[in-house]
Amino acid sequence: MNNRVKVVAIGGGTGLSVLLRGLKKYPLDITAVVTVADDGGSSGKIRSDMNIPSPGDVRNVIAALSDVEPYLEKMFQYRFDSGEVKGHPVGNLMLAAMTDIHGNFSTAVQIMSKILNVSGTVLPTTNEMATLNAVLKTGEIIRGESSITKAGGEIDNVYITPSKVKANVDVIKAIENCDYIVMGPGSLYTSIIPNLMISGVSEAIVNSSAKKCMFVML
């Protein structure tokens, strides 16, 4: 693995998962850096109820990089359609349970990656809670990633609250030591930029000698 080309893929949503399903077919040392700013659906409810980073995008990336029996991956991605757990994928609940057991979201991701035999490394950008906010051209402020997606309108800029959110230290190390950095594909404002606003991430990318490429959907 030490002789393989090291690729850091940064993003969220479904775009990053699709990219990773392709990249894992090649002899690469892959690290996926995943946003935890999603606050909609199951992820939003778990985030609110348990005060942990959103698990949804991380779950999709684990599934994309997993190398297990199809039935196990299907169970991990299965979403309940009735009862009190309606709308929750099994994987989100497993990540939430592991976080509760070990007291750390990154540890939960690491353990679930082993269970699902992930080809590479999956890293949440931060272990802290971060809320994405958008300022529209009209001056209106939209709070929450899911609300931004629904609101439409032309975005002037985005920011996170709280303003200082620490990056996962392994994210910075991966960026500093990789050969390629791939950002996207995905929404510029809700999948890619949320990662770059975490303290230290954009600086590490700028200072990295890795070759960089970016795919965005505007």
Side-chain angles (χ1 to χ4, degrees):
M1 285 292 290
N2 291 334
N3 295 324
R4 292 186 175 187
V5 174
K6 297 179 180 179
V7 177
V8 170
I10 302 173
T14 58
L16 180 60
S17 299
V18 171
L19 173 70
L20 293 171
R21 287 185 185 276
L23 288 179
K24 76 174 184 179
K25 298 177 182 179
Y26 298 91
L28 302 170
D29 184 351
I30 301 171
T31 298
V33 175
V34 191
T35 179
V36 291
D38 183 17
D39 65 345
S42 169
S43 288
K45 184 166 178 55
I46 290 175
R47 167 190 166 113
S48 175
D49 290 349
M50 296 190 62
N51 196 36
I52 65 173
S54 299
D57 286 345
V58 169
R59 183 197 81 247
N60 285 327
V61 167
I62 289 175
L65 288 175
S66 67
D67 184 17
V68 292
E69 290 292 330
Y71 287 117
L72 181 56
E73 181 185 344
K74 186 175 182 179
M75 181 200 71
F76 187 68
Q77 291 286 66
Y78 178 77
R79 189 181 297 268
F80 294 97
D81 60 6
S82 62
E84 293 186 6
V85 290
K86 182 178 180 179
H88 287 294
V90 170
N92 281 7
L93 298 177
M94 292 175 72
L95 283 165
M98 284 294 182
T99 303
D100 201 37
I101 291 168
H102 297 281
N104 183 278
F105 187 63
S106 284
T107 300
V109 173
Q110 183 180 11
I111 292 170
M112 290 308 306
S113 295
K114 289 181 180 179
I115 292 172
L116 273 292
N117 194 25
V118 162
S119 301
T121 304
V122 180
L123 300 173
T125 317
T126 179
N127 284 316
E128 300 180 20
M129 299 281 285
T131 299
L132 182 66
N133 307 274
V135 181
L136 304 184
K137 290 289 187 180
T138 60
E140 180 183 2
I141 297 176
I142 308 295
R143 290 180 168 80
E145 186 270 342
S146 60
S147 297
I148 295 169
T149 302
K150 294 175 182 176
E154 190 174 357
I155 296 176
D156 182 71
N157 65 84
V158 293
Y159 64 95
I160 58 170
T161 50
S163 58
K164 295 293 184 181
V165 176
K166 292 182 180 179
N168 183 337
V169 64
D170 290 329
V171 167
I172 303 302
K173 290 179 181 178
I175 292 171
E176 291 175 342
N177 296 304
C178 68
D179 300 300
Y180 290 87
I181 298 172
V182 181
M183 290 176 278
S187 168
L188 176 63
Y189 291 111
T190 58
S191 292
I192 299 174
I193 289 181
N195 292 292
L196 307 184
M197 291 187 294
I198 303 300
S199 296
V201 173
S202 59
E203 293 85 352
I205 293 172
V206 169
N207 293 328
S208 173
S209 59
K211 294 182 179 179
K212 307 171 182 77
C213 57
M214 183 173 181
F215 305 93
V216 299
M217 295 182 294
L218 298 176

